[in-house]
Amino acid sequence: MTLKQKIIMLICSLALIAGAPLFAKTKAVSVAVFVPGIVKGNPTYELLVEGVQEAKAQLYKKGQPITVKVVEGGVNQGEWQNGLTALAISKKYDLIISSNPSLPAIAEKVLQFAPQQKFLLLDGYLAGNAQIKTVGFNHYEQGYLNGYYAALISTSTMKNANAAYKIGLLAGQEYPVMNDKIRKGYLDGAKAVNKNFELDFRVLGNWYDAAKASELAVSMIKNNADVILTICGGGNAGVVAAARENGAYVMWFDRPGYSYGKDIVVGSTEVSQKTACTDSVIAFVEGRLEFGTSEELGIKDGAVNFAFEGVPSAVSADIIQKVKQLIDGVKTGALTLSAH
């Protein structure tokens, strides 16, 4: 037996004596992504899934495997609790991730049946529950950016802009964040351009009906709304079609939507949902995620921004400059945007 073989045998013997395996295999962390809706066509949920997959890729490079299961809960909000409960009581997942303002309250109900389950919930708020971590975004600031830009477009010389001081907002459903943050911020942003601006606010009633969304958008356009912010999931396509056929513009929310309607989608805000999700998943796996706490990220954090890349060439440099100045003002503290 050679000296090298003797050394290898000695190392193996010592490992066995110590009661530890020579090569330890890292256990995979199991993650479930519960999508309260459908992924495709919904910017928020696309970013959520992309964020988890990015975390998986980064962790793999560090030698820490994770498994990811994506479950679509469908568009019926009444079924979300049952879907989330089924995942939790299976006890298969170290962490369940989701994103929706209504999810924290639903997760608390699910914990009655699965008290040991850990939840990471984005785009929502809840503090004080030791099983739940929430990471939200300042949707008032985001709505304000959309409204400010929409009003600048509406008062411009662009071909679809009319003389009326009116913009539109079509929401999939009404919920506290929509009514108290997004809707209010959108109108406040418009009024910062001209105090006479009014808002035509409509509710689709679901997150998928493009035909009905188109009908509502046509009605809004006929009511002199020349720029419409659409936040209605699969219904967004109907708004773009109505704007194209009836001479209006569309604003997007959460991630750039310019590819959905060339020269019709004229502006978009974006949130760092993907980055926040990636960072939070990595922190969980590494034992750094603080449950029982909540964060709200905004313009100052770089988590709420305007997507300048992709803006149609018809939008003037002056409009772009004014929006950049607004963002810089918030970042420097010279300007404070508050829903109160």
Side-chain angles (χ1 to χ4, degrees):
M1 183 180 292
T2 66
L3 178 62
K4 183 177 180 180
Q5 289 173 324
K6 289 180 179 179
I7 291 173
I8 291 173
M9 287 189 66
L10 177 61
I11 292 172
C12 290
S13 299
L14 290 173
L16 289 171
I17 292 170
L22 181 60
F23 300 105
K25 188 175 181 180
T26 304
K27 179 181 179 296
V29 174
S30 182
V31 173
V33 182
F34 179 78
V35 177
I38 297 170
V39 177
K40 188 176 181 181
N42 191 309
T44 300
Y45 304 141
E46 289 173 346
L47 290 167
L48 178 72
V49 174
E50 289 170 13
V52 177
Q53 296 295 354
E54 176 61 25
K56 179 180 179 179
Q58 290 189 29
L59 287 164
Y60 179 80
K61 291 178 181 178
K62 296 181 178 182
Q64 172 59 66
I66 72 171
T67 62
V68 177
K69 181 180 179 62
V70 178
V71 177
E72 293 184 322
V75 296
N76 184 350
Q77 186 168 341
E79 297 176 353
W80 293 350
Q81 184 175 330
N82 288 339
L84 203 62
T85 300
L87 286 176
I89 63 175
S90 73
K91 298 182 179 179
K92 293 180 180 179
Y93 306 104
D94 300 299
L95 181 68
I96 295 177
I97 306 169
S98 192
S99 175
N100 188 285
S102 66
L103 258 294
I106 294 174
E108 282 202 302
K109 293 177 182 177
V110 171
L111 286 171
Q112 296 175 16
F113 306 98
Q116 301 307 312
Q117 182 63 60
K118 296 287 189 182
F119 289 95
L120 167 62
L121 306 176
L122 286 86
D123 203 17
Y125 174 82
L126 179 72
N129 189 310
Q131 301 302 113
I132 299 174
K133 167 69 175 183
T134 60
V135 180
F137 303 99
N138 191 321
H139 287 309
Y140 176 81
E141 290 184 348
Q142 188 181 3
Y144 193 102
L145 273 181
N146 274 99
Y148 185 74
Y149 184 91
L152 291 173
I153 295 291
S154 181
T155 53
S156 73
T157 57
M158 292 174 64
K159 67 176 184 178
N160 290 341
N162 61 42
Y165 292 108
K166 185 174 290 185
I167 55 175
L169 169 55
L170 180 59
Q173 292 178 327
E174 287 189 87
Y175 48 96
V177 170
M178 173 57 68
N179 290 331
D180 303 336
K181 304 286 186 174
I182 300 172
R183 178 179 174 180
K184 187 177 188 309
Y186 187 55
L187 182 56
D188 285 352
K191 284 183 174 293
V193 174
N194 188 298
K195 64 180 181 180
N196 294 315
F197 263 100
E198 298 177 357
L199 175 61
D200 187 342
F201 176 71
R202 310 284 182 102
V203 180
L204 180 58
N206 58 62
W207 298 95
Y208 60 85
D209 194 339
K212 184 179 177 183
S214 180
E215 291 177 8
L216 289 170
V218 169
S219 176
M220 296 164 80
I221 295 166
K222 289 181 177 178
N223 193 33
N224 286 327
D226 52 5
V227 184
I228 300 174
L229 171 58
T230 180
I231 309 176
C232 54
N236 291 341
V239 180
V240 173
R244 187 181 301 282
E245 294 170 9
N246 295 273
Y249 295 116
V250 175
M251 292 286 298
W252 222 254
F253 207 70
D254 279 350
R255 79 179 309 177
Y258 303 109
S259 63
Y260 292 92
K262 182 174 172 56
D263 298 327
I264 295 298
V265 179
V266 291
S268 176
T269 51
E270 56 185 348
V271 295
S272 61
Q273 168 107 320
K274 179 178 177 179
T275 301
C277 184
T278 298
D279 293 346
S280 296
V281 172
I282 292 173
F284 170 76
V285 172
E286 295 180 348
R288 297 182 288 104
L289 194 65
E290 298 181 7
F291 287 88
T293 65
S294 182
E295 301 175 63
E296 183 180 69
L297 307 174
I299 292 175
K300 274 189 175 182
D301 307 294
V304 174
N305 212 331
F306 195 89
F308 293 104
E309 186 176 348
V311 170
S313 58
V315 178
S316 71
D318 180 59
I319 289 177
I320 299 299
Q321 185 60 30
K322 286 180 179 177
V323 176
K324 287 183 176 180
Q325 288 173 348
L326 174 67
I327 293 170
D328 289 343
V330 175
K331 285 185 173 180
T332 61
L335 179 63
T336 300
L337 306 182
S338 174
H340 304 294

